[in-house]
Amino acid sequence: MASICINEKLTDDELRSILSKLENDKDKEIFGLVCKRWLGLQSNGRKRLAARAGPHMLQKMAARFSRLIELDLSQSVSRSFYPGVTDSDLAVIADGFRCLKVLNLQNCKGISDKGMSSIGGGLSSLQSLNVSYCRKLTDKGLSAVAEGSQGLRSLHLDGCKLVTDEVLKALSKNCPNLEELGLQGCTSITDCGLADLVSGCRQIHFLDINKCSNVGDSGVSTVSEACSSFMKTLKLMDCFRVGNKSILSLAKFCKNLETLIIGGCRDISDESIKSLATSCQSSLKNLRMDWCLNISNSSISFILTKCRNLEALDIGCCGEVTDAVFHGLGAMETEMRLKVLKISSCPKITVTGIGMLLDKCNSLEYLDVRSCPHITKSGCDEVGLQFPDCCKVNFNGSLNEPDVLL
């Protein structure tokens, strides 16, 4: 019987179809070991790659992985290497990975505006770029990206402290489909910049302006009105100029809001929070308002009883909150969906209040009671509190915190 060579019988398209049905990454790598032809098909079909490589290796990778869509060259803060990614590397990427849509360069501290200009000039299909903590970058390089990659949907610039409102103008002018923008710690961003941004980018659903100390009620109100139905996540931690006007604007326009971070916004008070809870009672899932010192039992109780899909709440350091915040839970007809509750440094909450919470909440996965003198492990054992099996209770800071409210 004559032998049959599979390479003579199957076309490239048929082999790609077989490859596409392999779910395990290891199996896909083994596929490429059969022969050069199969290796070429496996390489060309690869869509994602994480690498640590210089320009010569990147050139070889570009030739092999010609259809790559996602490239991750990010570095961790604790394990960065020298010299890391350089502007020369970015020139190779811009020239060799023309199909690239997602590029992660977080913590690549060696890159500058020159490299960003290469990216803007070569990657017209780019949709997502993360250059967080690339501290040399300025408006010039990032504006070049906005002008060259006009299909951009996600941009993270956290920690890029040289960035100003000029970048927001460039995004507004060139990137109308922008949906996600991270500006944490970009302290030169102002209300005027946010107004410029949303004059052209009105589909933003994620905006992180944590620690942007020059942003206040005017900017937040403009964003909430312009991006009303799209906005789902807004982060405003330590924006000390943000007050009740911002929260009332969110309550009026952003009825699909899911995550709100307002920790450290000390001028926010009960009435605006109640308005927000009423407007977003079906959508709100995550709320962080630690160090909001004007918040009391009335608004937090309102949130717990009104927002039926709430999953995470942080009221740490709200020192006037007492067990009374949990009194209304007994009248609720359905179980709470709360998974994360942080009440650290709330000295007036006791094991009695926690007991009332547990009576209505079997879904709790993490409870932070650090610096709550009336809630100790021995105290909980004495009164027989029964925490859900999956719940971790942080009594003294020994547990890692979930990142849902960061």
Side-chain angles (χ1 to χ4, degrees):
M1 182 176 178
S3 61
I4 298 175
C5 178
I6 191 171
N7 273 340
E8 295 176 358
K9 293 296 181 180
L10 297 181
T11 66
D12 284 355
D13 286 341
E14 288 169 333
L15 286 171
R16 288 192 189 98
S17 178
I18 293 170
L19 178 61
S20 69
K21 290 178 170 59
L22 299 177
E23 296 181 358
N24 188 290
D25 288 341
K26 186 175 181 180
D27 290 339
K28 292 179 180 179
E29 294 297 332
I30 293 173
F31 178 97
L33 297 177
V34 173
C35 64
K36 286 185 177 180
R37 180 189 177 200
W38 289 34
L39 176 61
L41 291 171
Q42 184 255 343
S43 298
N44 287 335
R46 188 157 185 168
K47 304 299 183 186
R48 300 177 182 86
L49 185 65
R52 302 286 182 270
H56 298 299
M57 184 58 71
L58 282 169
Q59 287 173 347
K60 293 181 179 180
M61 290 164 53
R64 180 178 173 186
F65 304 112
S66 59
R67 299 183 183 181
L68 200 70
I69 291 176
E70 297 184 24
L71 180 59
D72 184 355
L73 296 174
S74 63
Q75 297 180 236
S76 67
V77 175
S78 59
R79 300 184 66 184
S80 60
F81 63 98
Y82 183 85
V85 179
T86 66
D87 290 336
S88 297
D89 296 333
L90 297 188
V92 172
I93 290 168
D95 184 59
F97 295 95
R98 294 286 181 169
C99 297
L100 208 62
K101 292 185 178 180
V102 179
L103 179 59
N104 188 349
L105 299 169
Q106 183 172 347
N107 285 314
C108 294
K109 297 181 176 65
I111 63 177
S112 70
D113 289 339
K114 181 180 179 181
M116 286 295 100
S117 295
S118 297
I119 295 299
L123 299 182
S124 59
S125 298
L126 195 66
Q127 295 182 2
S128 175
L129 177 64
N130 188 340
V131 289
S132 296
Y133 307 105
C134 299
R135 301 186 190 279
K136 293 182 180 180
L137 300 184
T138 73
D139 298 336
K140 181 180 177 181
L142 294 166
S143 294
V145 173
E147 292 166 8
S149 306
Q150 298 190 3
L152 208 61
R153 294 180 180 273
S154 174
L155 179 62
H156 282 265
L157 307 174
D158 303 356
C160 296
K161 295 189 176 182
L162 300 179
V163 167
T164 75
D165 291 342
E166 291 303 311
V167 168
L168 303 189
K169 290 181 182 179
L171 290 170
S172 178
K173 181 179 178 181
N174 298 290
C175 303
N177 296 318
L178 190 70
E179 297 174 348
E180 186 170 314
L181 181 60
L183 296 167
Q184 178 172 309
C186 298
T187 52
S188 294
I189 298 300
T190 71
D191 291 337
C192 292
L194 291 179
D196 287 333
L197 173 71
V198 297
S199 67
C201 303
R202 306 180 74 89
Q203 299 179 33
I204 295 176
H205 65 73
F206 175 101
L207 180 62
D208 182 352
I209 44 179
N210 281 347
K211 302 182 180 181
C212 291
S213 53
N214 284 309
V215 169
D217 286 335
S218 175
V220 175
S221 298
T222 303
V223 169
S224 62
E225 183 172 359
C227 303
S228 54
S229 61
F230 292 96
M231 186 61 70
K232 291 187 176 180
T233 298
L234 182 59
K235 299 186 177 185
L236 301 167
M237 186 176 69
D238 291 338
C239 294
F240 64 88
R241 299 174 189 268
V242 169
N244 288 322
K245 182 180 177 182
S246 294
I247 305 305
L248 291 171
S249 181
L250 290 169
K252 181 178 180 180
F253 296 109
C254 300
K255 300 184 186 301
N256 296 318
L257 193 66
E258 295 179 1
T259 297
L260 179 62
I261 308 296
I262 50 174
C265 299
R266 303 190 181 196
D267 290 337
I268 293 171
S269 57
D270 286 331
E271 292 309 310
S272 63
I273 292 296
K274 288 181 181 179
S275 295
L276 181 77
T278 300
S279 297
C280 302
Q281 58 184 285
S282 298
S283 63
L284 195 63
K285 294 180 179 179
N286 308 301
L287 178 60
R288 175 176 176 177
M289 48 184 189
D290 52 318
W291 287 103
C292 291
L293 302 182
N294 290 319
I295 297 299
S296 69
N297 289 333
S298 63
S299 60
I300 298 172
S301 178
F302 201 78
I303 289 166
L304 290 173
T305 54
K306 275 280 187 184
C307 299
R308 52 184 177 271
N309 292 315
L310 190 69
E311 295 181 359
L313 177 65
D314 184 351
I315 53 172
C317 300
C318 294
E320 296 306 309
V321 177
T322 71
D323 288 342
V325 77
F326 303 113
H327 286 171
L329 301 183
M332 294 177 64
E333 296 179 357
T334 59
E335 283 277 327
M336 298 178 68
R337 297 183 180 181
L338 196 66
K339 295 179 181 179
V340 175
L341 178 61
K342 301 177 71 173
I343 55 172
S344 62
S345 301
C346 291
K348 296 182 180 181
I349 297 180
T350 72
V351 290
T352 302
I354 300 302
M356 288 186 278
L357 170 69
L358 294 177
D359 285 341
K360 275 295 181 179
C361 185
N362 290 317
S363 57
L364 201 63
E365 297 177 2
Y366 179 84
L367 176 64
D368 184 354
V369 292
R370 290 174 295 167
S371 300
C372 293
H374 301 296
I375 309 174
T376 61
K377 191 175 189 307
S378 59
C380 291
D381 292 339
E382 285 177 12
V383 298
L385 284 186
Q386 295 293 317
F387 292 96
D389 292 338
C390 62
C391 184
K392 297 179 180 179
V393 184
N394 197 348
F395 289 103
N396 54 23
S398 60
L399 298 178
N400 291 329
E401 297 186 49
D403 60 4
V404 65
L405 291 172
L406 297 180

